[in-house]
Amino acid sequence: MAYTTIDNSASHFNTVTYTGNVDHSSANGSQAITGVGFQPDWIWIKPYVLGYAAGSHNLTDSVRGAGKSLFADLTGAEYDYGTSANGGAVIAIGSDGFTLGGASQVNEDSNTYVAWNWLAGTSVSGSTGGSGTSKSYSGSVNTTSGFSIITYVGNGTAGHTVPHHLGAVPRMIIVKGRDQVENWTVYHEGLTSNNYALRLNDSAAQFSQTLSWNDTTPTSSVFTLGGGAGTSDYTNRDGINMIAYCFAEKKGYSKFGSYTGNGNADGTFVFCGFRPAWLMIKSASSASTSWVMHDNKRDTFNVAKNNLDADNDSAQASADRLDILSNGFKSRSTLNFNNKSGDTYIYMAFAESPFVNSNGVPNNAR
């Protein structure tokens, strides 16, 4: 059996960088970004070198549609920029990239941006199950890479189940209410139990929250939601439109795990089974530790320094953090963000190339 079924990771996930071309005083203009290599079904954009002003993480997907944005670092409802170049964000999604309008979040001429792109591609739809009233859902899925985008309607009842169509158990799920102010709620198998969650939009440690995941492990077909009201970390408010980004693990392409920090500059080594192209790390143990993000386009050699935080709108910071290796990554700092002694860290990683391809050929360290 081959080590991996995905030799070319860039056909499922790819990072592009670009410079904006619209003056903020007009916010009227457009720019086509190409070279993604596929139709990006989830587009996550962040300005990382700031000439004008800080900007939030802009998330657009093909299921909700071009023009509609959510912001990873904010709790606000979905914002509809529309598809006009005048002030628009992602105004179109194409076969090899996307087109931007004049919104400074994505296209200010004094800022440099990074865009992380994932392929889904196969449409799905149907009705939810489990407890309570059945509701509709629709989405897009890539079973080869283990990624799906599902938009569904909450029913307010504990035990509500939503199909994810991955054909494998998801290791990580990110959920946000589209219609109202709501935290981003994260399930990750590396947390203490199914009764725990994290918030993508803040730096808090894991917290106990039965209402998020109903203390139930996802299966290869569905994830299960809690019920009730009165919490801002909710995944199932009755009648509210929700979005879920779901991830299963694929050998040689993606990894969702945990490790323990050692507080030493000769830090913990984490085996992924590939050379990472993109990596996000969060302490589950300590508060005030951001979701630290690295990629192979902003950092092309070790030690990787240029990090962004998913939970704030700051420009990228530069400090020795970690080495990207042929088969994983290794912490090179004593910072609480990725290597505090005794802390449990969860991570999400996607490959640049597998450690060994389907022909048995190993890759190289950078």
Side-chain angles (χ1 to χ4, degrees):
M1 180 178 177
Y3 179 84
T4 183
T5 58
I6 301 177
D7 285 334
N8 182 15
S9 299
S11 63
H12 300 275
F13 168 82
N14 201 10
T15 300
V16 296
T17 60
Y18 63 92
T19 301
N21 71 353
V22 174
D23 188 283
H24 67 271
S25 63
S26 69
N28 189 9
S30 64
Q31 179 176 191
I33 305 300
T34 58
V36 172
F38 52 82
Q39 175 184 297
D41 292 294
W42 189 28
I43 306 164
W44 182 331
I45 298 174
K46 176 71 177 75
Y48 69 96
V49 177
L50 304 180
Y52 166 57
S56 287
H57 296 254
N58 187 99
L59 277 60
T60 303
D61 61 68
S62 62
V63 175
R64 292 180 296 119
K68 296 178 180 178
S69 295
L70 288 165
F71 306 99
D73 53 308
L74 301 175
T75 60
E78 178 179 275
Y79 187 81
D80 191 348
Y81 282 99
T83 54
S84 168
N86 185 13
V90 176
I91 61 176
I93 300 173
S95 61
D96 186 37
F98 49 90
T99 302
L100 305 167
S104 62
Q105 298 280 4
V106 298
N107 199 20
E108 156 62 38
D109 65 0
S110 298
N111 289 343
T112 304
Y113 297 82
V114 61
W116 303 300
N117 304 274
W118 286 262
L119 172 69
T122 300
S123 297
V124 294
S125 62
S127 298
T128 60
S131 302
T133 304
S134 180
K135 299 286 186 175
S136 63
Y137 75 88
S138 61
S140 186
V141 62
N142 181 345
T143 55
T144 300
S145 70
F147 172 57
S148 67
I149 307 165
I150 305 293
T151 185
Y152 64 93
V153 181
N155 75 357
T157 305
H160 186 201
T161 59
V162 179
H164 52 69
H165 289 271
L166 295 173
V169 176
R171 304 292 183 93
M172 186 170 181
I173 305 170
I174 304 171
V175 170
K176 174 73 174 71
R178 299 173 55 189
D179 302 335
Q180 61 187 36
V181 174
E182 195 90 63
N183 284 313
W184 290 83
T185 305
V186 179
Y187 166 86
H188 193 287
E189 70 162 10
L191 300 181
T192 297
S193 76
N194 299 315
N195 195 33
Y196 280 77
L198 286 164
R199 301 183 187 105
L200 184 64
N201 54 279
D202 74 28
S203 60
Q206 67 175 355
F207 59 96
S208 179
Q209 178 56 279
T210 303
L211 292 178
S212 295
W213 311 113
N214 203 45
D215 199 11
T216 303
T217 304
T219 72
S220 59
S221 57
V222 300
F223 57 94
T224 303
L225 307 172
T231 173
S232 60
D233 303 295
Y234 195 44
T235 56
N236 191 26
R237 292 187 190 275
D238 188 25
I240 297 298
N241 290 298
M242 312 292 296
I243 190 74
Y245 302 107
C246 308
F247 304 90
E249 195 170 281
K250 297 295 179 178
K251 187 176 182 181
Y253 168 76
S254 63
K255 188 75 174 175
F256 309 88
S258 62
Y259 67 92
T260 302
N262 68 7
N264 193 305
D266 184 15
T268 304
F269 165 71
V270 180
F271 178 80
C272 294
F274 51 80
R275 182 171 66 240
W278 188 91
L279 177 64
M280 182 161 67
I281 300 170
K282 173 72 178 78
S283 172
S285 305
S286 294
S288 301
T289 53
S290 287
W291 296 79
V292 178
M293 311 169 80
H294 293 272
D295 65 66
N296 63 344
K297 299 298 174 66
R298 292 178 301 118
D299 265 315
T300 57
F301 55 87
N302 291 326
V303 177
K305 298 175 179 286
N306 296 321
N307 60 280
L308 288 162
D309 299 335
D311 52 285
N312 65 60
D313 66 358
S314 300
Q316 74 177 9
S318 183
D320 288 356
R321 290 292 177 92
L322 50 86
D323 283 344
I324 300 296
L325 307 174
S326 62
N327 57 353
F329 61 95
K330 182 178 177 64
S331 296
R332 290 297 188 186
S333 81
T334 60
L335 296 171
N336 291 353
F337 295 103
N338 68 334
N339 196 28
K340 180 181 178 182
S341 180
D343 262 20
T344 297
Y345 294 86
I346 60 101
Y347 66 90
M348 173 185 189
F350 295 92
E352 179 179 352
S353 61
F355 184 42
V356 180
N357 70 19
S358 62
N359 295 313
V361 179
N363 71 16
N364 297 314
R366 65 181 190 177

